[in-house]
Amino acid sequence: MNSNLKLSNESDLLLSIASGNELSYTKLVEKYWQKVLQHALSFVKSYSIAEELTQDVFIQIWEKRDKLAEVKSFENYLFIVSRNLIISHIRKKLTETDTLKDQKLQELFLKPDEQFEFQELVKIINEGAALLPEPRRSVFLLSRIEGKDTDYISKKLGLATRTVRWHLMHALNFLRSYLHNHYIISFLALILLGLFFFK
């Protein structure tokens, strides 16, 4: 699609799409399609998966077009929608592989030069986790590494579910700060943080 298409007034275009104008929507897709596709390709190695994610992004934009009337920066909005769908897709694949430590994660989503960064990130997370006091460390490992739910952890460790959530919250807060102190700020890290830290 033509990514160089010039739009005279993007805010007017967004308002037109918000009112259901399909021609305006088509123009928007033509302008941003390649940008979203390349963004997706930078995190998934499969062109077909990246193309599917790109389609999903624009489908979601159309389905939620009423929100466009309030958007101040469409590029920022597009970035957020794209990021969230990429994270959701990787989460789904992680569920299928059944473990965060599975090497299939790297094979599915990371380019060779990014696999080293992933390994370093996991190494730093493990180092940070080792600093957690018990039972906070066990709660974190059971929840985020083994993928166990709160009820399972509660029974396994003999803790109230509220206590499990309390320990997990403090563990995650500590590890976020620990990663920040190690200058983990790349977009790949942000995606992986989403995988490790958010349900």
Side-chain angles (χ1 to χ4, degrees), residues 50-162:
E51 192 169 43
E52 181 181 338
L53 284 168
T54 302
Q55 291 171 350
D56 289 343
V57 167
F58 286 105
I59 287 171
Q60 184 173 126
I61 286 171
W62 176 253
E63 290 178 343
K64 298 182 178 180
R65 58 188 177 276
D66 56 307
K67 293 184 178 181
L68 294 176
E70 303 171 3
V71 171
K72 302 300 181 184
S73 170
F74 181 72
E75 288 204 9
N76 289 344
Y77 179 75
L78 186 62
F79 173 83
I80 293 169
V81 173
S82 303
R83 179 198 62 189
N84 290 345
L85 283 173
I86 289 170
I87 290 174
S88 295
H89 177 75
I90 298 177
R91 276 184 182 149
K92 180 181 177 182
K93 289 298 181 183
L94 278 174
T95 301
E96 292 172 359
T97 59
D98 202 34
T99 171
L100 289 173
K101 295 182 288 187
D102 199 312
Q103 292 300 308
K104 289 181 180 178
L105 172 63
Q106 296 180 55
E107 296 169 6
L108 284 168
F109 299 109
L110 304 180
K111 298 175 182 177
D113 59 335
E114 293 168 338
Q115 291 183 16
F116 177 75
E117 183 182 349
F118 171 80
Q119 292 165 1
E120 287 297 298
L121 176 58
V122 172
K123 178 182 176 182
I124 293 172
I125 288 173
N126 287 334
E127 289 173 353
L131 299 175
L132 294 168
E134 290 292 355
R136 196 165 297 171
R137 179 174 180 273
S138 293
V139 169
F140 169 77
L141 294 176
L142 286 168
S143 173
R144 289 319 200 241
I145 304 302
E146 297 186 26
K148 305 300 183 183
D149 62 26
T150 302
D151 289 339
Y152 176 93
I153 298 170
S154 175
K155 293 174 183 176
K156 175 80 173 178
L157 301 181
L159 300 171
T161 55
R162 182 174 59 182

Side-chain angles (χ1 to χ4, degrees), residues 177-191:
S177 296
Y178 188 82
L179 287 168
H180 180 75
N181 291 338
H182 283 76
Y183 303 102
I184 305 299
I185 56 176
S186 71
F187 188 67
L188 171 62
L190 291 176
I191 284 185

Side-chain angles (χ1 to χ4, degrees), residues 156-172:
K156 175 80 173 178
L157 301 181
L159 300 171
T161 55
R162 182 174 59 182
T163 304
V164 169
R165 294 190 189 97
W166 186 85
H167 279 302
L168 184 58
M169 178 186 70
H170 284 281
L172 298 181

